[in-house]
Amino acid sequence: MTLRFQPLHLVVTLGAAYALYSPVALAADISATVPSGGGFVIKNSTGTQERFRVQDSGEVRAPGLSGATPNTNLTCFDGPTGRLGPCAGGIGTGATGATGPTGPTGALGPTGPTGVTGAAGTTGTTGATGPTGATGATGATGAGATGATGATGATGPAGATGALGAMGPIGATGADSVVPGPQGIQGIQGPIGPTGATGATGAGTVTLATVSNSDSWTFGGMGDPAGGDQVTVTATCSVGKTVVSGGCRATAGANGSYFGGGYPSAADKWTCEYSIWGALSAQAYAICQ
């Protein structure tokens, strides 16, 4: 007959096994046979709460785990043996579920205080003055018609002629003066005489000659960046000749240039003046006599 297994029987069995302990029994197992439909149970010290249960079916229970301190490691078991142990890497991590719908937008929070105004940045350097744009075309004259001349007003009536005043008495004749009288009024200028005949044309001739000089420069920041570099090119007449006029011609690079003007810088020289911000090639022409 099989007896119902009680906790007291387990204590007696464990005590007997301890009393019979010998080095020869080190590898032996402690075995307990549970009744059909029953289980092997370990309870608390008062015998009122189960701490561990092994059912006849092989089911293992640990009711106290739900109230134990939470841990971060998963526990797995080996299928063939039922051995408990930590789970292998990747076990317990399922595929990422679909992203749920976006929740409603929360209420707008109160506006925070305005931050302190940052310090003002330093003023940047003034950029170079751009070249003067071309003069726009003159606009067309308006299409309005000239108004008609107003009629001349009527001439007013002539006023009446005043009466002739009475003639005063003739004064006594004065004594002859020894002081000469005042100079008489200058007479009227006589008519202009006829124009004389044109003189013969002289035999002299005027010969003009043109000389030129060219030069090239590249902006190097020698002057004020707002004014560019100041450069000149001068054409000089040959010995014994004087300049009567001149001209200037220039080809500027991408950054442009400003033409300062052309002028006679000496009796025999014509000078052209420029302000440049890039590359420039220029020629000066002197017309000499």
Side-chain angles (χ1 to χ4, degrees), residues 214-219 222 231-233 272 274 276 278-282:
S214 60
D215 204 346
S216 298
W217 308 268
T218 300
F219 176 68
M222 296 182 294
V231 296
T232 59
V233 58
C272 300
Y274 301 89
I276 65 171
L280 176 70
S281 296

Side-chain angles (χ1 to χ4, degrees), residues 174-265:
D176 292 336
S177 175
V178 295
V179 180
Q183 183 177 352
I185 300 173
Q186 182 178 350
I188 300 173
Q189 182 179 353
I192 299 173
T195 303
T198 303
T201 304
T205 58
V206 176
T207 302
L208 300 178
T210 301
V211 295
S212 65
N213 184 28
S214 60
D215 204 346
S216 298
W217 308 268
T218 300
F219 176 68
M222 296 182 294
D224 180 1
D229 287 345
Q230 307 300 313
V231 296
T232 59
V233 58
T234 299
T236 304
C237 297
S238 58
V239 178
K241 299 289 187 178
T242 58
V243 66
V244 295
S245 185
C248 303
R249 182 175 182 179
T251 302
N255 291 331
S257 65
Y258 177 77
F259 176 53
Y263 54 90
S265 55

Side-chain angles (χ1 to χ4, degrees), residues 33-285:
T33 301
V34 299
S36 176
F40 176 81
V41 180
I42 298 176
K43 295 186 177 183
N44 64 351
S45 59
T46 62
T48 59
Q49 294 181 348
E50 291 187 358
R51 297 305 189 194
F52 188 78
R53 172 185 286 271
V54 179
Q55 290 292 100
D56 181 31
S57 63
E59 178 183 350
V60 178
R61 301 178 185 177
L65 288 180
S66 60
T69 302
N71 292 303
T72 58
N73 295 325
L74 297 176
T75 301
C76 295
F77 72 92
D78 180 63
T81 65
R83 178 175 55 85
L84 299 178
C87 296
I91 299 300
T93 303
T96 302
T99 302
T102 302
T105 303
L108 182 65
T111 303
T114 303
V116 179
T117 303
T122 57
T123 303
T125 56
T126 303
T129 303
T132 303
T135 303
T138 302
T141 303
T146 303
T149 303
T152 302
T155 302
T161 303
L164 182 63
M167 182 176 180
I170 299 173
T173 301
D176 292 336
S177 175
V178 295
V179 180
Q183 183 177 352
I185 300 173
Q186 182 178 350
I188 300 173
Q189 182 179 353
I192 299 173
T195 303
T198 303
T201 304
T205 58
V206 176
T207 302
L208 300 178
T210 301
V211 295
S212 65
N213 184 28
S214 60
D215 204 346
S216 298
W217 308 268
T218 300
F219 176 68
M222 296 182 294
D224 180 1
D229 287 345
Q230 307 300 313
V231 296
T232 59
V233 58
T234 299
T236 304
C237 297
S238 58
V239 178
K241 299 289 187 178
T242 58
V243 66
V244 295
S245 185
C248 303
R249 182 175 182 179
T251 302
N255 291 331
S257 65
Y258 177 77
F259 176 53
Y263 54 90
S265 55
D268 60 345
K269 301 180 185 297
W270 185 270
T271 296
C272 300
E273 185 177 283
Y274 301 89
S275 295
I276 65 171
W277 292 269
L280 176 70
S281 296
Q283 287 180 299
Y285 297 89

